[in-house]
Amino acid sequence: MSKYIYQTEGVCSMQISFDIDGEIIRNVEFLGGCNGNLKAISKLVDGLTVDKIESVLKGNTCGRRTTSCADQLAIAVRQAYDEIN
């Protein structure tokens, strides 16, 4: 299991950290952003695969932004997976 830290772009949260074990993501934590919503996202994705997280969250936008914290998480987990494989 590896700890991964991703610096977000274009959203209120500044950073996402999580553990990756093969394709499984655990212990997602956001630094900054909408605390309650991001805690909920973290709980909902715990134990899911990179593919599942990406299929559900990739492309999600926030207001007029072209991305969101959820979209940034999808990008982060794919990047982490690609880097270790």
Side-chain angles (χ1 to χ4, degrees), residues 45-60:
V45 301
D46 192 59
L48 296 183
T49 64
V50 170
D51 287 341
K52 183 62 177 178
I53 293 170
E54 193 174 44
S55 73
V56 173
L57 300 179
K58 184 125 174 77
N60 193 11

Side-chain angles (χ1 to χ4, degrees), residues 18-80:
F18 53 89
D19 295 326
I20 182 167
D21 186 9
E23 288 192 18
I24 305 297
I25 303 298
R26 296 206 180 277
N27 304 316
V28 175
E29 294 180 347
F30 290 83
L31 177 62
C34 302
N35 190 35
N37 290 333
L38 297 176
K39 282 182 185 175
I41 288 172
S42 298
K43 289 178 182 180
L44 291 170
V45 301
D46 192 59
L48 296 183
T49 64
V50 170
D51 287 341
K52 183 62 177 178
I53 293 170
E54 193 174 44
S55 73
V56 173
L57 300 179
K58 184 125 174 77
N60 193 11
T61 60
C62 183
R64 291 178 269 169
R65 295 179 178 149
T66 58
T67 189
S68 67
C69 292
D71 181 55
Q72 290 288 295
L73 176 60
I75 293 166
V77 298
R78 175 54 64 191
Q79 182 176 308

